[in-house]
Amino acid sequence: MRIGMWMTGWMTLGCARPVSTVPAGFHPPAEAAWEVPGPLVHEAVISARWSVPLSGLLDLKDPRAAEFEDRPYDIVLPVHVLVHPEVGAFVIDTGMPRAPLAARGLVARFVRDIEIVEPLADILSRQQAPLVGVLLTHTHLDHILGLPDVPLEVPVYAGPGDERPHSMSDRLSFGAFRRGLGDRPLTLWRFEAAAPLGPIEHAVDVLGDGSLWALHVPGHTPGSTAYLARTTHGPVLFTGDCSHTRWGFDHGVTPGTYTVDHEANAHSLEALRALAASIPGLRVEVGHE
């Protein structure tokens, strides 16, 4: 198993917490037989429901989105569970915690209307396989709040650049991320050493068997990461917030005000759309629907 076996390149997070990186691209990724069912069992769970401005989820300045007006839009906070028969269980993003939120001040007010459906601790308690990794699509607040429910010995993985805040809102919420992460290191995908996978410029073969890929899709945040899994029911692409909505994915319209770099996000979204078009039977799971 490749994940976590090589730890080099120490960096820092917040208050001098160590951040390790996972070297990748030791050999070019093999072409996966997408038509053949993979080993991963996938379960999608709604951890919470929320309502946010549509202008955050879709770039309403894009002419293709001219039909929409800004309004509150109902979203879900999903947790995707992937179980490998030999390795164990992974979760993509963390939903909400069982205990009170690790958020304070303005951040606590911002998230007070989130309706918890199933906290991460309850999701994990139903799994027969041990949790061996948390795969973050990025470190925005609504993707990391469930971290306190993750055992401290379980590693957390994210894209490079997401170990530090990049906007005022990031700075306000980064304390919740540090508290949720606790004393564990954050492991960063070393995408710069990774080979391409089709239109994706940098892709890490997470387990070394072609069943699970981490895809660098910067733009929404510098380290935004999508994941591609070969499951028992066919291939599944998890876009993270490279696309919050299925409408945005289908029409190539990027997220709105929540995105740091719209040009980079547009490039990444088009690469994901091209990848999806090239894989027969692929199912797409967007960030918040």
Side-chain angles (χ1 to χ4, degrees), residues 11-19 163-165 174-175 177-179 181-184:
M11 303 171 67
T12 59
L13 168 69
C15 300
R17 285 189 173 87
V19 179
E163 75 280 8
R164 55 186 178 273
F174 216 68
F177 179 41
R178 288 198 298 267
R179 289 189 294 274
L181 197 62
D183 293 328
R184 85 190 92 217

Side-chain angles (χ1 to χ4, degrees), residues 21-107:
T21 58
V22 179
F26 292 99
H27 47 76
E31 288 293 330
W34 301 112
E35 69 278 5
V36 178
L40 295 167
V41 176
H42 170 227
E43 179 188 9
V45 184
I46 294 175
S47 182
R49 299 182 186 276
W50 201 14
S51 183
V52 298
L54 182 60
S55 57
L57 305 174
L58 278 178
D59 182 7
L60 299 183
K61 297 178 182 178
D62 190 309
R64 291 168 293 184
E67 64 185 278
F68 298 110
E69 294 182 357
D70 197 12
R71 59 179 175 82
Y73 191 86
D74 294 337
I75 64 171
V76 298
L77 275 59
V79 172
H80 294 282
V81 183
L82 295 170
V83 179
H84 192 287
E86 298 177 0
V87 179
F90 297 88
V91 293
I92 299 177
D93 293 331
T94 66
M96 296 293 287
R98 179 182 288 164
L101 292 176
R104 302 170 183 171
L106 290 175
V107 175

Side-chain angles (χ1 to χ4, degrees), residues 7-276:
M7 300 295 186
T8 60
W10 292 100
M11 303 171 67
T12 59
L13 168 69
C15 300
R17 285 189 173 87
V19 179
S20 52
T21 58
V22 179
F26 292 99
H27 47 76
E31 288 293 330
W34 301 112
E35 69 278 5
V36 178
L40 295 167
V41 176
H42 170 227
E43 179 188 9
V45 184
I46 294 175
S47 182
R49 299 182 186 276
W50 201 14
S51 183
V52 298
L54 182 60
S55 57
L57 305 174
L58 278 178
D59 182 7
L60 299 183
K61 297 178 182 178
D62 190 309
R64 291 168 293 184
E67 64 185 278
F68 298 110
E69 294 182 357
D70 197 12
R71 59 179 175 82
Y73 191 86
D74 294 337
I75 64 171
V76 298
L77 275 59
V79 172
H80 294 282
V81 183
L82 295 170
V83 179
H84 192 287
E86 298 177 0
V87 179
F90 297 88
V91 293
I92 299 177
D93 293 331
T94 66
M96 296 293 287
R98 179 182 288 164
L101 292 176
R104 302 170 183 171
L106 290 175
V107 175
R109 291 180 60 188
F110 179 64
V111 299
R112 64 186 175 186
D113 294 329
I114 294 179
E115 174 193 352
I116 298 177
V117 177
E118 187 171 15
L120 182 62
D122 291 356
I123 297 170
L124 296 178
S125 70
R126 295 191 277 103
Q127 306 306 316
Q128 299 299 312
L131 182 66
V132 295
V134 173
L135 311 177
L136 295 177
T137 59
H138 61 297
T139 54
H140 277 172
L141 196 66
D142 51 325
H143 295 256
I144 57 84
L145 284 171
L147 279 173
D149 285 0
V150 177
L152 284 176
E153 68 272 14
V154 175
V156 178
Y157 300 86
D162 276 12
E163 75 280 8
R164 55 186 178 273
H166 293 274
S167 66
M168 180 59 69
S169 60
D170 285 353
R171 293 184 182 95
L172 288 172
S173 63
F174 216 68
F177 179 41
R178 288 198 298 267
R179 289 189 294 274
L181 197 62
D183 293 328
R184 85 190 92 217
L186 177 67
T187 307
L188 301 179
W189 303 116
R190 217 176 100 188
F191 285 123
E192 76 278 4
L197 181 67
I200 303 298
E201 296 175 4
H202 302 287
V204 174
D205 183 352
V206 175
L207 301 176
D209 63 357
S211 66
L212 179 60
W213 300 87
L215 313 176
H216 193 205
V217 289
H220 184 67
T221 65
S224 283
T225 303
Y227 295 93
L228 176 63
R230 293 179 57 238
T231 80
T232 54
H233 288 93
V236 183
L237 174 64
F238 306 91
T239 72
D241 285 0
C242 187
S243 183
H244 292 92
T245 67
R246 183 62 199 232
W247 188 93
F249 185 85
D250 288 343
H251 292 82
V253 176
T254 65
T257 57
Y258 299 149
T259 284
V260 172
D261 185 332
H262 284 275
E263 183 176 352
N265 198 152
H267 177 79
S268 294
L269 180 55
E270 284 309 303
L272 285 183
R273 281 160 48 85
L275 179 69

